[in-house]
Amino acid sequence: MERRDWAALGVLTVVTLTVRMWKIHSPGVIIMDEAHVGKNVNGYLTKQFTFDRHPPFGKLLLAAISSTVADYSGTFAFENTGDAYPHDLPYVHMRVAMALLGALCAPMAYMTLKAKGQSTNTATVATILIAFDNALTANNRLMVLEPLLMFFSALSFMSWIMFTNQSPRPFSAVWWMWLTTTGLAVSGALSTKASGIFAFMAIGFLAARDSWSLAANRSVNNVLLAKHCIPHIALLVALPVITYIYFFQFHFNLQTFQPSTTNYAQDDYDLNLLTYPFRNSLSPPYESEPELYPIWSDVVYGSVIQLQSEVRPPIYVHSFLQNWVKGSRQQQVTGYEYPDLNTHWIIGKAPTAEEKAANITVEEIPSRLRYVKHGETIKLRHVSTRKCLHSHNVRTMGQKMKKTHCEVSAYGAVGMDGDDNDWWVIEVVDTERMKDFPKDADIKVKALETTFRLRQLNNNCHLGVTDDDVPETLPGGPGRRELTCLKDAKVRQRTIWRI
């Protein structure tokens, strides 16, 4: 660019910054999406999980600005549009950061057009249109993610044009600089908002077209083509993907606590969008005095527990004083989406096959504290009806024609303990590999943490959830799913449970 271009660029940049920054502190209230972004910023500062459909980089940047500039700790609720900002929240600094990034799109547009050979007048008109555009000005003055996305998108296209201008001098320092800058800009766009995928795809298309042109050039041999293609793939594809994944890893390392449900009404809905292994891996809500809210994770014989499935939505093992109208006509055991008193069970010790053969009497609740471990045989006694979880070689109502599905019921009572169809073996599962741990593994069962299957000892079937709803005509009402004891050795999500 010539000297007058640099002068015009400087003037236009100052004008754009003035338009974006003018009285940016006003109004000092939550505007539009600032409420949503602010909740995500709070999530990082308080280490509480918040859900957002967009990648985390933009919110991480705003969280870093707010905590560094004013030592903000995430205490403002960001509940409603129009709520006044407190004095300790550096909303002006965050708005200024976004306005600065948005304003830089104007000079980048000027430089891009000049790099493409356009006249100074054309570049100036385009820059003025961006500088005074009402929608861009209003958006860039807010604490939202769009200014950051526009900055990286504009930077990626400007850098790509600068890079292609270096084609006569491949592999020079300037060539590498602009190719790397393009990759970093695409990484930023992809990691800021979901719509950043379009910048990634556009630059990817231009890079593919560039490589295709080289491949069609007969003067370019395979070695030289590879020397061009490998940096394109590494910096324009691999780098953005790795950066995207890295920011998500950083995100998950920061948000380790379940949200406090007293903060936002949306929290319960957000948690239900998670896979249940991840949801249950989050710690209980962070409190200023956590010793007042103890969480017991050890499970011992005699513990009162609830069994939650790993399918979505979560299903609890439920029973109450109503019998099946067909099949065994024993007490119903079904899956229910809501925990209540009828989803509580007492975990007791059952004899192993060897103890049964030797007629050894086993205390259901040992007199001395004993932890529940992988591979042990248990029985589950329903708290309110005192009957035990039971399965036998009777078909379920929804799977009458399938011999691999056995009915699940509750049987026996205090003083009449049923039979060995009440005995279940705990098999701890590695959910990453979807495999059972070895039989001799010494693993304690932990509430919330341990995933396991329950294998019925006699029928060698596993307790699981079916896709069949219990008919609403049966006593008990709607909203219940049929459980089964599945004769299938394969580890499936529908047969995995946690306490």
Side-chain angles (χ1 to χ4, degrees), residues 258-383:
Q258 294 180 15
S260 172
T261 54
T262 59
N263 285 346
Y264 316 123
Q266 187 75 6
D267 289 334
D268 285 338
Y269 176 77
D270 289 347
L271 282 175
N272 284 333
L273 297 175
L274 300 174
T275 59
Y276 285 92
F278 175 66
R279 172 178 175 171
N280 290 317
S281 72
L282 296 172
S283 303
Y286 177 79
E287 301 288 349
S288 58
E289 299 182 55
E291 66 274 7
L292 300 180
Y293 304 90
I295 300 296
W296 290 275
S297 60
D298 288 326
V299 180
V300 300
Y301 289 104
S303 295
V304 178
I305 66 169
Q306 297 182 89
L307 285 178
Q308 185 191 66
S309 72
E310 292 293 282
V311 299
R312 300 177 67 184
I315 298 296
Y316 295 88
V317 180
H318 176 277
S319 187
F320 66 130
L321 278 173
Q322 292 291 343
N323 293 347
W324 292 116
V325 297
K326 296 181 180 179
S328 66
R329 300 184 183 273
Q330 294 175 359
Q331 183 171 298
Q332 294 180 25
V333 174
T334 59
Y336 193 50
E337 292 186 19
Y338 308 100
D340 59 20
L341 182 61
N342 292 322
T343 59
H344 287 71
W345 302 77
I346 302 171
I347 188 167
K349 185 78 179 72
T352 63
E354 293 78 11
E355 290 170 334
K356 176 187 174 184
N359 286 326
I360 297 175
T361 302
V362 174
E363 291 182 299
E364 184 172 324
I365 301 178
S367 55
R368 297 181 64 86
L369 194 70
R370 180 168 174 178
Y371 296 107
V372 178
K373 295 185 177 182
H374 165 66
E376 294 187 341
T377 308
I378 66 168
K379 60 171 62 175
L380 292 168
R381 188 176 295 280
H382 194 235
V383 169

Side-chain angles (χ1 to χ4, degrees), residues 49-256:
F49 171 81
T50 55
F51 174 80
D52 188 28
R53 64 173 59 87
H54 297 297
F57 175 56
K59 284 96 63 179
L60 286 167
L61 179 62
L62 288 170
I65 293 171
S66 64
S67 61
T68 303
V69 171
D71 198 26
Y72 174 63
S73 58
T75 54
F76 182 61
F78 286 96
E79 288 184 349
N80 301 306
T81 298
D83 288 352
Y85 284 124
H87 68 278
D88 63 333
L89 176 62
Y91 73 96
V92 175
H93 297 81
M94 290 189 276
R95 284 181 179 177
V96 166
M98 295 299 103
L100 174 62
L101 293 170
L104 290 176
C105 292
M108 284 192 288
Y110 187 97
M111 296 178 68
T112 302
L113 289 170
K114 289 299 295 181
K116 288 295 291 181
Q118 299 298 319
S119 67
T120 299
N121 290 339
T122 300
T124 300
V125 170
T127 306
I128 290 174
L129 290 173
I130 293 174
F132 291 99
D133 183 88
N134 281 341
L136 290 178
T137 301
N139 177 270
N140 292 172
R141 290 166 58 84
L142 300 180
M143 186 180 65
V144 292
L145 303 179
E146 285 77 12
L148 188 59
L149 173 66
M150 288 187 282
F151 168 79
F152 282 120
S153 299
L155 180 60
S156 63
F157 284 104
M158 184 192 76
S159 301
W160 176 256
I161 298 301
M162 297 294 188
F163 166 73
T164 55
N165 287 348
Q166 299 300 316
S167 297
R169 295 173 295 279
F171 311 114
S172 64
V174 179
W175 185 92
W176 280 106
M177 181 190 72
W178 285 118
L179 180 61
T180 304
T181 304
T182 305
L184 291 173
V186 171
S187 302
L190 187 65
S191 302
T192 298
K193 287 197 73 175
S195 50
I197 187 69
F198 295 115
F200 177 74
M201 294 169 62
I203 296 299
F205 170 76
L206 295 173
R209 189 183 66 175
D210 189 49
S211 300
W212 182 262
S213 299
L214 284 173
N217 189 340
R218 293 186 178 183
S219 65
V220 177
N221 58 34
N222 291 338
V223 175
L224 184 58
L225 179 63
K227 289 175 67 176
H228 277 274
C229 290
I230 291 174
H232 281 62
I233 295 172
L235 293 173
L236 303 181
V237 178
L239 177 61
V241 171
I242 292 171
T243 304
Y244 179 87
I245 295 171
Y246 168 77
F247 280 123
F248 265 105
Q249 182 188 21
F250 198 62
H251 160 87
F252 288 126
N253 287 339
L254 281 180
Q255 296 194 346
T256 56

Side-chain angles (χ1 to χ4, degrees), residues 414-481:
V414 176
M416 196 276 285
D417 267 350
D419 53 33
D420 49 13
N421 285 329
D422 302 340
W423 300 350
W424 303 82
V425 179
I426 287 189
E427 299 175 341
V428 177
V429 172
D430 180 352
T431 52
E432 291 186 3
R433 298 185 302 156
M434 293 301 281
K435 290 185 178 180
D436 292 323
F437 280 94
K439 293 182 179 180
D440 57 352
D442 186 18
I443 303 173
K444 286 183 181 179
V445 175
K446 299 275 190 177
L448 300 179
E449 300 175 15
T450 308
T451 51
F452 56 87
R453 297 195 297 169
L454 286 175
R455 177 170 58 85
Q456 210 269 349
L457 191 62
N458 279 354
N459 294 304
N460 202 36
C461 57
H462 292 89
L463 181 68
V465 182
T466 71
D467 295 325
D468 300 312
D469 292 330
V470 176
E472 296 185 14
T473 55
L474 287 183
R480 296 181 296 150
R481 295 264 290 278

